[in-house]
Amino acid sequence: MTADDPRGDTELLLAHAEGDPDAFALLFRRHRDRLWAVALRTAGDREEAADALQEAMLSAHRNAGRFRGESAVTTWLHRIVVNACVDRLRRRSAQRTVPLPGQDSLDDEDRWHTGRHELAAPATDHDTAMAVRQALAQLPYEQRASLVLVDLEGYTVAEAAQMLGVAEGTIKSRCSRGRARLATLLGHLRNPDDPKYVPTDTATGGDL
Amino acid sequence: MNSRVDHDLLADYVGGALDGTSEHERVANLIAISPEWGRAADELAGALSRVSNDLNVLRDRPEPMPEDVAARIEGLFDGARRDPLAARVVTRHGPKKLRRWKRWAAPVAIVAAALGFFAVGWVPSLVSPTARDNAEEHPLSAGAPAAGQASPFPTAVTWRTYDRATLQSAPPTVGENLTTADSSGGSRSTYKAEAAPPLQRLTDPAALQQCLNAVTSALPGRVDFVEFAFFESSPALVISITSVNGQWRFVAGPDCGQSGPDERFRTPLK
C-alpha cells in the first residue's frame, strides 16, 4: 500500500468507514507530515504532540462514519488534531503538575511584559524557524492553536473559529495578541516595561 | 489623560479584532491624541510585519514526522483494523485471562454477599462467565449492552480511597479487596451507601459502556479493570487501561460518558 493510491481523501475515508482495512492508514501516510506539524506546533512539545496525535488518529479512525463531507478531509483531521492538543494542554494545565509550554506560573500580564524569554536574533532561516518555534511554545496554548491554524496552516479566521468551536472575534483576538507577544519574544518589539526601555521616536525613523 | 498603553487592547485593534465594536473608535482616538499610544501603535505595526515574515519561514519549513512516532501510530491501525474497543474483547478469549477471572469471580460474589460489600444495585463484578461470553461474541462497537446486561469488563466496587501517589501502584487484586472489606461492616456499609448515589448512574451497563467509550477516546487502549472507588475523597471510577505506551490509571468522575470522560486525573503505572 502506498500513499499514491489514486483515490481521493474523501473516497479513502469513506472506504475506511465501509470496512476497507487499509484505507485509513493510507490516508494517514498521505498527510502525516502536515498532521505532525500541526500537532508539534500546537502542543509545543514532542511527546505531548505524539500523544495528542495518537489520540486524534484513533478518534478519527473510530469516528470516520461521522464525516459528512462538509469540509476537506484534511480540515476534519486538523480539527481533531488541534483539539486533541488543546484538550491535553487544558487538562495538564488544570492538574498543574508539570508546567507546559505556555502554561508557566505567570499570569497573562506578567507573561506579556516580562522580557525574560526574549530570544537571540536569528541569523539564518533555520535559526529563524527554531526561534519562532521556541517563541510559539511560550504563548498561551489557545493563542498558539489559533496562530497555528491561521498563520501556519492558512485557514481563514472563520474556519479556525469553527474548528476550535469559538467565535471569530475570539480567534482574531487570540491571533492579534499572540502575534504581538511573538514580536516581543522574537526581539522585534522591546519590552515596554523594561526599565531600560526608551520609546522610539518614530518621527526620526529610529530602529526598533 | 491616562496614557498608559494597554498592549493587549492595542494588539486587538491593530489585528482587527475590534473592528465593528465601540472599542475600535475609543482606541483609534487614543492613538490619535496620545503620543504614547500613537508611538506604541507604530512600533507594533512595524514589529508585526517582521513577525509575519518569521512565521512564513516556519510555515515553509518541512516538519517530517519522526519515524518512531509514525511507526507508533501506524501500529495502532495494524492492531485495530476494526474498532479498537472491539480488539480488547477478543483478547478475553485467551484461556489465561479467563481462568484468572473465573478464579476470583466466585469468591468475590460470596464474600461480597456475606459482608454486604457492594452498596450499589447492579453489581458489576458479579459477571457470570456465561454473560461475559455472550458479550464477547458481539463486538462492543455494535452498541452498548442493554440495561441489565453485565459488563464485559472486570469491574469491582471497592470504595478504596486513592490519591495521586497511590494511583500509581498496580490495581488491587481481589485478595486485597477482600482484606479491605473490613469486619466493622455496619459503619462501612453506611459509608458506602452514602457514597453510592453519585456513581449510581454508572452502575447501569449502558451508562458504564458510554463512559468507557469516552474514556478510551481520551486515552486509547484496552480497559483492563474498572473500580468504583474514591479519588481524593470524591467517588470516582478508577480505570486501568493498557495503552500502546504502557499501563495507565484513569480517574473518571460521576459525569463520565455524559459529555466526555469527566476526567479527574490520569497517570502511567510505574
Side-chain angles (χ1 to χ4, degrees), chain B residues 162 167 169-172 227 238-240 248-251 266-267 269:
Chain B
Y162 289 97
L167 263 185
S169 58
E227 190 179 356
V238 177
I239 303 159
S240 301
W248 291 73
R249 305 295 289 283
F250 187 104
V251 181
R266 72 169 79 182
T267 183
L269 282 182

Side-chain angles (χ1 to χ4, degrees), chain A residues 37-49:
Chain A
V38 170
L40 183 64
R41 291 164 179 172
T42 305
D45 173 270
R46 185 186 189 280
E47 293 309 312
E48 282 290 327

Side-chain angles (χ1 to χ4, degrees), chain A residues 51 91 133 177 188 200, chain B residues 12 39 54 63 72 263:
Chain A
D51 288 348
R91 286 197 302 263
R133 186 190 288 173
R177 295 182 181 197
H188 300 321
T200 302
Chain B
D12 284 344
R39 195 159 41 231
D54 288 347
E63 203 78 71
R72 174 176 150 188
E263 179 174 359

Side-chain angles (χ1 to χ4, degrees), chain A residues 21 29 32-33 41 46 51 54-55 58 61-62 91 112 126 133 152 173 176-177 188 197 199-200, chain B residues 7 11-12 39 43 54 58-59 61 63 65 67-68 70 72 74 80 85 218 220 244 263 266:
Chain A
R29 287 179 190 174
R32 70 180 202 179
D33 287 350
R41 291 164 179 172
R46 185 186 189 280
D51 288 348
Q54 175 182 312
E55 284 182 17
L58 272 178
H61 185 275
R62 291 174 55 189
R91 286 197 302 263
W112 166 258
H126 174 76
R133 186 190 288 173
L152 298 181
S173 180
S176 300
R177 295 182 181 197
H188 300 321
Y197 171 71
T200 302
Chain B
H7 294 276
D12 284 344
R39 195 159 41 231
E43 289 183 358
D54 288 347
L58 181 61
R59 184 197 63 201
R61 185 176 176 75
E63 203 78 71
M65 178 179 286
E67 285 305 320
D68 64 315
R72 174 176 150 188
E74 291 204 28
L85 280 173
V244 289
E263 179 174 359
R266 72 169 79 182

Side-chain angles (χ1 to χ4, degrees), chain B:
Chain B
M1 65 171 293
N2 182 359
S3 60
R4 181 179 170 80
V5 177
D6 180 334
H7 294 276
D8 279 342
L9 189 61
L10 181 61
D12 284 344
Y13 173 83
V14 174
L18 300 181
D19 291 355
T21 71
S22 58
E23 284 290 89
H24 183 273
E25 287 306 310
R26 188 173 78 84
V27 175
N29 191 45
L30 282 168
I31 291 170
I33 64 174
S34 162
E36 288 83 2
W37 277 81
R39 195 159 41 231
D42 287 343
E43 289 183 358
L44 181 58
L48 290 180
S49 170
R50 298 183 186 188
V51 168
S52 177
N53 292 338
D54 288 347
L55 285 168
N56 288 344
V57 171
L58 181 61
R59 184 197 63 201
D60 295 338
R61 185 176 176 75
E63 203 78 71
M65 178 179 286
E67 285 305 320
D68 64 315
V69 176
R72 174 176 150 188
I73 294 176
E74 291 204 28
L76 296 174
F77 305 144
D78 291 340
R81 294 270 171 103
R82 58 188 182 284
D83 190 314
L85 280 173
R88 65 189 169 196
V89 177
V90 174
T91 63
R92 296 233 167 76
H93 287 296
K96 185 177 176 183
K97 203 148 194 171
L98 191 60
R99 275 201 306 274
R100 190 177 70 185
W101 219 97
K102 283 179 175 173
R103 197 163 57 234
W104 63 262
V108 166
I110 294 166
V111 177
L115 296 178
F117 186 51
F118 297 102
V120 292
W122 175 69
V123 185
S125 43
L126 302 184
V127 179
S128 72
T130 302
R132 188 180 61 257
D133 290 344
N134 286 342
E136 287 172 358
E137 289 170 9
H138 303 287
L140 298 177
S141 56
Q149 181 181 341
S151 164
F153 308 102
T155 307
V157 182
T158 66
W159 301 128
R160 292 182 88 190
T161 297
Y162 289 97
D163 58 27
R164 293 176 183 224
T166 56
L167 263 185
Q168 294 183 346
S169 58
T173 65
V174 172
E176 282 180 90
N177 284 347
L178 299 180
T179 55
T180 58
D182 63 282
S183 56
S184 61
S187 62
R188 188 179 179 93
S189 294
T190 301
Y191 181 57
K192 292 193 299 260
E194 289 171 354
L199 295 180
Q200 188 68 45
R201 184 182 60 83
L202 292 168
T203 62
D204 175 74
L208 179 61
Q209 181 67 66
Q210 203 166 12
C211 164
L212 295 177
N213 287 344
V215 169
T216 51
S217 289
L219 177 57
R222 184 190 68 228
V223 173
D224 295 321
F225 192 74
V226 180
E227 190 179 356
F228 285 67
F230 283 90
F231 177 68
E232 295 179 340
S233 303
S234 298
L237 293 186
V238 177
I239 303 159
S240 301
I241 294 176
T242 298
S243 182
V244 289
N245 57 354
Q247 290 185 297
W248 291 73
R249 305 295 289 283
F250 187 104
V251 181
D255 292 332
C256 179
Q258 292 193 310
S259 61
D262 191 15
E263 179 174 359
R264 302 302 169 91
F265 189 66
R266 72 169 79 182
T267 183
L269 282 182
K270 287 182 177 174

